[in-house]
Amino acid sequence: MEKKNIVFSDFNLSSEVLKAISAMGFEEPTPIQEKTIPVLLSGKDVVGQAQTGTGKTAAFGVPIIERMDKTNFGVQSIILTPTRELAVQVAEEMNKLGKFKRILALPVYGGTSIERQIKALKKGVQVVVGTPGRVIDHIERGTLKLKDVQVVVLDEADEMLDMGFVDDITKILKETPDERQTLLFSATMPEEILKISKRYMRSPEKIKIALDSVTAPKISQIFYEVRPAEKTEALCRLIDAEDSDLFLVFCHTKREVDEVSSNLKLRGYTAEAIHGDFSQAQRDSVMKKFRESKIDVLVATDVAARGIDISNISHVVNYSIPQNPESYVHRIGRTGRAGREGVAITFVSPREERQLRLIMAVSKAKITKGKLPTMEQVMTARTESLKEKIQEFIDDKRFDSFLKMVERLSVGLEPIEVAAALLKFHLEGFGKEAVRESSVSLDDTGAAPGMVRLFMTVGREQNVRAGDIIKAIADKANIPGKAIGGINIFDKFTFVEVPRESAEKVIDVMHQSIVSGQKVAVAPAKPREGDSRGGRR
Ligand code: AMP
């Protein structure tokens, strides 16, 4: 049955909160958000069964921020988490959600200086996210007052109980006003949690996502344990090592899609992105390239991918873990079509292991743990595939004119060295090389005197014009448009010269910024012999 897609604006949220959600790159609510947000907005207590990876933070964060009084600078909400890591993560998300309403959240946890936390608390924060021990410490010192608290959240309650925090939690709850709204989120619901909910909550609504039984297709399914900071490297290794046609990479948010695709481009892959901010024309152009195999990797959100039909996907990668088992099954069903063997890869951070277990249980998928290929294996795989291609060319024998060139090139040189040089040129071709070398200096970019030549990952294919680039740089770096020098726009990238004294600033403000609707990477260019420098505008 076709179900109507709920959007965030259906919840009657203020423009400040909607703006924050949009800036975070969320396209539509996750299942737990769909159910929880309206109930919390009505002021009721909630016991929610959900784990990290389902979007539970925003499920309570959105209504908390929405109902908060921005003119009151006292602590209005306290969120208890079992670990420091989660406290930081939740506080970050609360700060993002509260950005336009100017609501401040502060993480407080043990193991670091309490003085700094006291200073920050004195300045006034409206949301405190903390581990129980440290919260008690602040209460006892009188540095944290909970009399204004309207909402208390017990996040990952089962883990807090396992860690022996039950007495601390009850102590903290007693410090807060009786009329508060109390929320409890937990992946499992042992007896002790139910006891707490009975004792300290007012007829809480129990929210659990009904898990439709879904069946994962029979394709090869692997997960890799990868920390968030290592995901790009892991993805690149897999793309290099696997025998693949097309990779379809799924991310949660539009921002993540932009980041991943621009990081891949920076590393020399032919990657494209699609998500809700793209116009129909941009989508069509990306999809055309994808179908014509002009790109190796397509990075997408679930929403954007829903509307596309492509069949030659050899690998689906869950760069961010799916927020529910159904989404996992939908995503991986994109590979292995038309009787071809497909591979589904899932990146799992240590905090997301429970979510992976849930996905496996509900979809009855057999997802085996994989080990990322080593650099050596990557090199071997690349050599093998290159060898196959060379063999094809040799079998084809249509390279007579090239043979003559090689003969000429080899006069006075070692043929093996000629081959190595050509291979380097082939693998680190124009443009890619410019950004791969991190040691490129600003003084050696092949620019006119007094200028620095920069490399940017947008080009003709994204419909950029010289005027767009000048405007973007002039506006963002606050330099006069006429100070900007030669611009050379190629299909996939652009070179632009800027004054030496502004170069660092330009890189700083332009790198990862949006130009013509595309996120760009910007780096000093690398000079090339015989490179014809850009004509003046
Ligand atoms: P959580 O379960 O709260 O740890 O959230 C997991 C990840 O999903 C976080 O990176 C969130 O920023 C992201 N996320 C939460 N809600 C949404 C949404 N509606 N759309 C896309 N991503 C989301």
Side-chain angles (χ1 to χ4, degrees), residues 336-367:
R337 286 184 172 173
R340 298 169 71 183
E341 186 70 5
V343 182
I345 291 166
T346 305
F347 288 167
V348 184
S349 71
R351 297 209 60 81
E352 291 164 345
E353 269 169 29
R354 279 181 160 185
Q355 177 69 355
L356 178 77
R357 271 186 263 138
L358 175 86
I359 290 172
M360 286 205 247
V362 175
S363 65
K364 299 183 189 63
K366 192 166 169 356
I367 314 178

Side-chain angles (χ1 to χ4, degrees), residues 212-226:
D212 289 344
S213 87
V214 279
T215 318
K218 284 197 175 33
I219 51 171
S220 163
Q221 298 168 60
I222 307 155
F223 77 91
Y224 295 97
E225 273 176 6
V226 191

Side-chain angles (χ1 to χ4, degrees), residues 8 26 28-30 33 52-57 93 252-253 323:
F8 281 103
F26 297 177
E28 61 178 29
T30 66
Q33 291 165 0
T52 294
T54 53
K56 73 171 158 59
T57 314
E93 189 122 328
H252 285 158
T253 66
Q323 282 148 332

Side-chain angles (χ1 to χ4, degrees), residues 220-428:
S220 163
Q221 298 168 60
I222 307 155
F223 77 91
Y224 295 97
E225 273 176 6
V226 191
R227 291 180 187 285
E230 295 159 354
K231 284 185 181 178
T232 310
E233 176 60 30
L235 179 58
C236 293
R237 283 200 194 178
L238 288 167
I239 297 173
D240 285 344
E242 297 268 312
D243 180 13
S244 66
D245 276 338
L246 292 169
F247 269 74
L248 177 58
V249 176
F250 282 101
C251 298
H252 285 158
T253 66
K254 295 183 266 186
R255 298 291 89 84
E256 212 169 29
V257 165
D258 286 335
E259 252 164 54
V260 173
S261 66
S262 74
N263 280 338
L264 287 175
K265 280 185 197 164
L266 251 185
R267 289 171 177 238
Y269 298 93
T270 45
E272 290 288 346
I274 46 167
H275 58 60
D277 285 353
F278 281 53
S279 68
Q280 192 55 45
Q282 281 173 316
R283 275 162 189 250
D284 291 347
S285 132
V286 169
M287 292 320 301
K288 185 160 177 276
K289 277 190 249 169
F290 197 77
R291 274 190 295 269
E292 290 170 355
S293 302
K294 285 192 179 146
I295 49 181
D296 302 328
V297 191
L298 180 65
V299 191
T301 54
D302 290 281
V303 178
R306 228 175 261 157
I308 59 178
D309 178 31
I310 23 180
S311 53
N312 46 345
I313 296 162
S314 56
H315 291 69
V316 163
V317 179
N318 295 305
Y319 191 91
S320 330
I321 195 160
Q323 282 148 332
N324 57 78
E326 265 179 68
S327 150
Y328 177 80
V329 170
H330 280 151
R331 284 180 178 188
I332 73 165
R334 299 272 181 171
T335 180
R337 286 184 172 173
R340 298 169 71 183
E341 186 70 5
V343 182
I345 291 166
T346 305
F347 288 167
V348 184
S349 71
R351 297 209 60 81
E352 291 164 345
E353 269 169 29
R354 279 181 160 185
Q355 177 69 355
L356 178 77
R357 271 186 263 138
L358 175 86
I359 290 172
M360 286 205 247
V362 175
S363 65
K364 299 183 189 63
K366 192 166 169 356
I367 314 178
T368 50
K369 185 171 171 176
K371 211 164 165 266
L372 284 172
T374 59
M375 280 313 283
E376 207 175 307
Q377 286 167 323
V378 169
M379 283 311 287
T380 312
R382 282 180 102 180
T383 313
E384 277 309 308
S385 102
L386 201 62
K387 210 167 159 186
E388 269 175 36
K389 279 195 194 117
I390 292 174
Q391 188 63 51
E392 278 171 29
F393 275 112
I394 293 176
D395 291 347
D396 214 23
K397 284 204 167 51
R398 275 185 292 181
F399 50 72
D400 282 359
S401 56
F402 290 97
L403 270 179
K404 287 205 180 73
M405 261 175 97
V406 173
E407 274 166 19
R408 261 183 262 140
L409 279 173
S410 305
V411 174
L413 297 172
E414 284 295 325
I416 197 154
E417 284 185 2
V418 172
L422 288 173
L423 192 58
K424 180 170 164 45
F425 181 75
H426 168 74
L427 293 176
E428 298 178 357

Side-chain angles (χ1 to χ4, degrees), residues 40 44 46 60 64 151-154 181-185 201:
L40 291 183
K44 281 196 190 148
V46 159
F60 61 74
I64 288 180
V151 192
V152 178
V153 184
L154 308 179
Q181 186 181 20
T182 314
L183 325 178
L184 183 152
F185 286 85
M201 301 175 80

